[in-house]
Amino acid sequence: MIRRPTSRRDLLAGLTALSVLPPAGARASGGPISPWPDGTRAAVSLTYDDGLDSQLDYAVPELDGRGLKGTFFLTRENMEARLPEWIDLARRGHEVGDHTVDHPCALARFSARGFADRELDPMEGFLDANFGGGRPRTYAYPCGYLGLGGGGRRRRYARYQRLLRSQFSAARTTAGRANAPADALTDRFRLHAFEPTYEADGVHPAIAYLKDATARGAWAILVFHDVLPRWRSEGDASVATHRRILDAIAAQDLWCAPMGEVFGRLAAART
């Protein structure tokens, strides 16, 4: 069983159960067909949070060297100093998404309007101005926290999702098993993801997660933060481990594509 930080797993508890749509691309006879291209058995998206220098310095060269494209959820305060490099990254086919202006984790003090005014609207305007308005509208929850403002858990979660629905097509968490295609459409503001090196710098949790996704024909989303020559603390990945995870993806029957592209394919197949 893949180990994940208990506190993050507990964030998913208490959410209202949602009905499940038929699988994307289901045959009229009822038998599902795979939504993944070229006969691949599952999909994987590589996502990188916070707009960190180490991603430009160490992660991107590894991706580019393999012809892989990632999704970079940018926090404005972290990445403005190297904005031209991020713009060039996007021009080369990598995706950028919204991770707020300054990555707040203390959300109880925010109203929905206050959070939009301070974090979402300015960041979306900044991304539009520098990366264009035609990019996929995707979001990653800062700190993995799914609740906004005060009140009970369901109320906080529902408030956050209502706000995101006004601007985004999908949002990514930091916990949960790889997404079944139908579940990704039904629960698009709670897309499951996995931080393979959150607790330790090893490749085996990522491999187990990818094998499970492949066996189920699911969509795996991996989350990275700093990618550094050596693992230092929670959330980091060493360059060597990051490289081994990319090699493991290449060795399996997986379609590797940015998060917005994968979600767009599922939505188009469903339509």
Side-chain angles (χ1 to χ4, degrees):
M1 180 178 179
I2 298 169
R3 296 176 62 213
R4 301 181 184 88
T6 301
S7 59
R8 297 189 176 221
R9 184 172 59 244
D10 288 347
L11 289 170
L12 300 178
L15 285 171
T16 304
L18 300 175
S19 60
V20 177
L21 296 173
R27 292 192 181 96
S29 62
I33 60 175
S34 173
W36 314 127
D38 303 322
T40 50
R41 296 176 59 189
V44 59
S45 294
L46 299 161
T47 68
Y48 300 81
D49 285 7
D50 306 335
L52 302 172
D53 288 350
S54 69
Q55 295 164 6
L56 291 172
D57 296 337
Y58 299 109
V60 172
E62 295 289 342
L63 294 173
D64 289 344
R66 293 166 173 78
L68 300 176
K69 305 301 180 186
T71 300
F72 293 82
F73 286 105
L74 302 180
T75 297
R76 180 172 176 174
E77 69 173 5
N78 289 342
M79 48 73 63
E80 277 191 287
R82 297 178 69 174
L83 178 59
E85 293 172 78
W86 291 106
I87 292 174
D88 181 64
L89 171 145
R91 287 174 178 161
R92 300 201 309 272
H94 298 283
E95 280 185 357
V96 297
D98 192 323
H99 205 40
T100 72
V101 172
D102 59 7
H103 201 284
C105 294
L107 303 181
R109 57 192 174 89
F110 283 104
S111 66
R113 186 68 263 163
F115 191 74
D117 288 345
R118 173 175 154 173
E119 297 294 338
L120 298 186
D121 294 347
M123 190 60 183
E124 283 298 291
F126 172 80
L127 293 175
D128 284 347
N130 290 286
F131 299 94
R135 60 193 168 77
R137 302 282 170 166
T138 54
Y139 182 76
Y141 293 92
C143 308
Y145 293 162
L146 304 175
L148 179 66
R153 184 178 298 176
R154 290 187 179 182
R155 180 175 296 180
R156 291 184 284 111
Y157 287 1
R159 181 184 295 120
Y160 209 162
Q161 288 196 23
R162 282 196 302 270
L163 178 60
L164 296 181
R165 285 177 187 275
S166 67
Q167 298 201 49
F168 301 100
S169 61
R172 194 219 70 203
T173 68
T174 56
R177 200 177 183 191
N179 304 273
D183 293 345
L185 291 170
T186 304
D187 217 359
R188 58 194 176 98
F189 292 98
R190 197 182 58 174
L191 294 177
H192 294 171
F194 178 50
E195 300 172 290
T197 60
Y198 186 83
E199 294 178 298
D201 189 44
V203 70
H204 298 296
I207 291 175
Y209 176 75
L210 294 170
K211 285 183 177 179
D212 176 67
T214 301
R216 296 190 297 113
W219 175 18
I221 304 176
L222 294 175
V223 182
F224 298 96
H225 297 89
D226 263 316
V227 179
L228 299 165
R230 292 180 178 82
W231 190 86
R232 299 180 308 184
S233 61
E234 289 182 345
D236 293 351
S238 70
V239 170
T241 293
H242 179 257
R243 182 180 299 142
R244 290 177 65 195
I245 291 171
L246 298 186
D247 289 342
I249 290 170
Q252 298 188 51
D253 193 11
L254 295 167
W255 176 45
C256 184
M259 197 179 104
E261 182 178 345
V262 177
F263 184 81
R265 182 180 181 89
L266 290 177
R270 173 60 179 163
T271 301

